[in-house]
């Protein structure tokens, strides 16, 4: 089993920055990829960025690359640095763990955190 806990969300003004943290506990052998997803009010959950558990490989939703950066300091802590935030970035952000390298569909992720709210004011 894998447990994921997100933190770092909050209220920020347009143009501001936030760093989200995903703390991972449990078996590291249960997944190969950690990803961030966002879910805006009334919308489906969408892929944001992903990172390999055992290497430095990262991948992004195309329009977010350059403003958002995914990183890790070990296999149990993954970050999402968000910069130049816009009101349309307002969403609940989830981290998820899965076994498909490069996966972008939420169906490929078996473990989910509870989410952290990010609100960007205009």
């Amino acid at each position: 089993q894998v447990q994921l806990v997100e933190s770092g969300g909050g209220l920020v003004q347009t143009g501001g920055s936030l760093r989200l943290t995903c703390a991972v506990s449990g078996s590291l052998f249960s997944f190969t990829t950690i990803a961030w997803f966002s879910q805006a009010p009334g919308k489906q959950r969408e892929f944001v960025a992903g990172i390999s558990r055992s290497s430095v490989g990262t991948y992004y939703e195309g329009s977010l690359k350059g403003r958002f950066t995914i990183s890790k300091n070990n296999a149990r802590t993954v970050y999402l640095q968000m910069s130049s935030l816009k009101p349309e970035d307002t969403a609940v952000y989830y981290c998820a763990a899965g076994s498909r390298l490069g996966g972008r569909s939420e169906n490929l992720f078996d473990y989910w955190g509870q989410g952290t709210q990010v609100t960007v004011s205009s």
Side-chain angles (χ1 to χ4, degrees):
Q1 280 286 1
V2 177
Q3 295 79 41
L4 306 165
V5 179
E6 305 94 335
S7 61
L11 175 64
V12 64
Q13 292 185 335
T14 296
S17 299
L18 279 176
R19 188 177 78 163
L20 306 184
T21 300
C22 177
V24 182
S25 60
S27 173
L28 293 178
F29 299 102
S30 300
F31 64 96
T32 59
T33 301
I34 294 285
W36 287 96
F37 287 77
S38 67
Q39 187 167 22
K43 295 188 177 181
Q44 291 189 335
R45 198 149 48 183
E46 297 179 336
F47 171 79
V48 174
I51 190 166
S52 169
R53 171 178 62 82
S54 59
S55 74
V56 297
T58 60
Y59 56 108
Y60 296 87
E61 194 283 326
S63 67
L64 297 176
K65 189 174 183 179
R67 292 197 302 122
F68 289 14
T69 303
I70 190 169
S71 63
K72 63 184 181 183
N73 68 354
N74 52 52
R76 296 195 180 275
T77 307
V78 176
Y79 305 104
L80 183 69
Q81 178 68 48
M82 307 186 294
S83 304
S84 302
L85 284 163
K86 307 174 183 180
E88 51 263 44
D89 295 321
T90 295
V92 178
Y93 285 76
Y94 299 88
C95 66
S99 300
R100 178 76 63 87
L101 287 174
R104 296 171 182 264
S105 170
E106 61 179 304
N107 295 331
L108 299 175
F109 292 84
D110 303 307
Y111 305 99
W112 292 83
Q114 82 288 350
T116 185
Q117 175 72 47
V118 171
T119 302
V120 184
S121 64
S122 56

